[in-house]
Structure formats: C-alpha cells, structure tokens
Amino acid sequence: MTAVMPRSTDRILTTHVGSLPRPERLLALLVAKAEGQAYEEETLQSEVREAVQDAVARQVNAGIDIVSDGEMSKPSYSTYVTERLSGFGGRAKGHRAQDLLDYIDYARRLVEIGGVVPSNSGPCCEAPVRLKDAKPLRTDLANFQSAVSREKPVAAFMNAASPGVVSLFQRNQYYPSEDAYLEALADALRAEYEAIVDAGFILQIDSPDLAMGRHLAHADKDEQRFVELAARQVEVLNAATANIPPEAMRLHICWGNYEGPHHLDIPLEAIIEVVLRARPAAISLEAANPRHAHEWTVFERVPLPDDKILLPGVIDSTSNYIEHPEVVAQRILRYANVVGRERVIASSDCGFGTFSRYPTVFPAIAWAKLAALAQGAELASRRLSTRPGRQDG
C-alpha cells in the first residue's frame, strides 16, 4: 500500500528534514570509506543497521510522528548518488557560496574550525549516467523497514536527491547541455524514487537547487534568469515522478544548511510559484533561522493550493540553541493562522547530519531540539483546539 502524507485536524503533527547525527563509530567508518582508507564492509553495514534502529526509536521517543532513517548510510544528501549511478569521476573546480565570499575573513575562519563551507567542486559527470548498483538502496529500505516495524511511528519517509541538486554538486562535463544532463539524471533517479514509494515510505525529494543554487552557482545571473532555471528543474522533477501520487511525496527546499551571512538568499516570494508547480503535495521550507523566519507572510499574499500542505522549519538546524517550546508554538501558529491547522506539520529547517562528519549542532543538542519541537507542537495544538478564530503568534 502506498504511504501518503498524514493530515490531522486534532493536533499538529511533527517531522524533520531527514538527516540525523550519526554515532561516532559509524562516522569514523564513513570517513574511512570516503577517503579510501582501510575499513571492514561487514562492520560498516552492522553499524548502519544499528544506527537506523536507534535513530527511529529515538525519534519516536522524542515525539516525532513522521520519521526517517536519519540518512545513516549516506556520505551526504546529494553525493551518495555517485555510489549508485555510473558516470561520475574526476574532480571539477567549482564555486563557493557567494555570501561567504563577500565576507572572506569569516569564510577563512570557518575553514580553520572545520565549519560548513558550501562548494560545488568535487566529482563531476564525465560519462553517461545510468543505474550502477541498486544494492545500497535495497539495504537502506530493508534497514528502515525493520526499524519502522519495531517502533511503529505514525508515518515514515526516506530522502532522495533531486535531479537539480545532483547537477548542482556533480557538475556536467559530458552531456552537450545542462538540459540534457538534467534529463539523464531524471531517468537514472526515477527507479530510486519509485522504489522508495513501492516499499511503503513517503518520498522526500531534497531540492536545495531551487533556492541555494542562486548564491552557490548562479550568483552572476539575475533573479529572473534563476527563476527560469528553477522552473526547468521542476519540470524535469515532475517528469521523473510522474508515476508517483503527489500525496506520497514531500519536497524540501533550502538555502544552504550552514551558518553564514545568507544575505544573498533569494526570497521565498521570488520562487514560491515555481516551487508550488512541483508535484509533491508537501513543501518543506526554512522558517526558523533569522533570514527566513518572516516568510510565513508570503502565504498571506500567495494562496496555498488546496492540494498542498506545508512543513515549516520551527527549529533551526545550524544553531546549538535549544528552542523554547513557546517559541516553537508561536512559529507554528503563524503558519496555522494563514493556511489552516490541518495543513501544517511542524519540522526543522534542515538536517542535523547533512554530511558524514561531526555536525554543526552537537548530537545531544540536536535530539533535545527535536524534543522541543514536539513539545512546542503539543502546546500549539492545545491553543488551536481551545481558542476560536485567529490564534496569537
């Protein structure tokens, strides 16, 4: 049976964006694998299975309704495709985020302390892109199914990269055009998308290309040109997911999960109409960090289509502050007042383990933030059920 995004008129449901802190033993193995060092594959697989089981249990215990496998097996949310698809190799010289280049001394400091400095340099496409190895996905699905069967959350989702974000980070050096590259990626990724849904999970498509791409790879292009490129990426994504019901999918957009100036982030209002053309019924977006916390007002001007729901981030994913449940509740109520309580699911801005290294948010604090998310959702639910009309927030 195909899983669908749940809705509730009784309470605010909770979820997050996908990646979660990895245990230190697993981190060490993933780093060794990525750097070509010696490691035992059997030990790695055992650690992944155990980490997925633990992550699902901890999500349920924290009060998260719609859980993920934490992306425990992946080196990152986008580069994992180079292990599953053919055609990638070499190393292309790319771009760093323009907002950090504007504050270069801060960027250098981030490098010194091991902070996240976004760049699209790395492996590139240098041959035809095709499915190379389906085993890693089958293993991920089996590990997740085992954990979900044991813990029985309200629902479960699994992440997959969009064609656009793969083209952003694994740059094209083979196909005659970016358009041809996008279409090849869509054809190659379609099987993964459908397999996740066929396994009984909600598919989350990670698509930072629709927002972060503006200041990472397209800072030299005007806003309108970027919006046109984003529209093409949505067209390709819609074609790749044509066989999947919209209600079985959620789309995550992101301006970059790093602590930076973000003063060049394209406004949500500039891209929202393009984002809403995407087939997934649920839209996950940043709504807690200082650059995007105000953008709930966009939906006062741009009506949310009847078939869409929102997953606003009400906890930040780059700060070690643990949000007060009252703050979380206020953020939820802002959205609920505009689009309706049944069309809001409380989430995080982005993931807590975006890359397979020590995360920006300390692991124990990340779990405490998720618990605060659930507490704030409970508080918002009580207020929505007892007060008629528009709620404070």
Side-chain angles (χ1 to χ4, degrees), residues 164-184:
V165 80
V166 177
S167 71
L168 178 63
F169 285 103
Q170 280 73 235
R171 301 174 67 200
N172 175 39
Q173 293 192 347
Y174 173 78
Y175 288 92
S177 66
E178 286 300 308
D179 214 47
Y181 183 35
L182 277 173
E183 290 183 356

Side-chain angles (χ1 to χ4, degrees), residues 92-96 119-122 171 216:
K93 183 178 180 180
H95 308 280
R96 295 197 183 277
S119 168
N120 64 349
S121 60
R171 301 174 67 200
L216 181 57

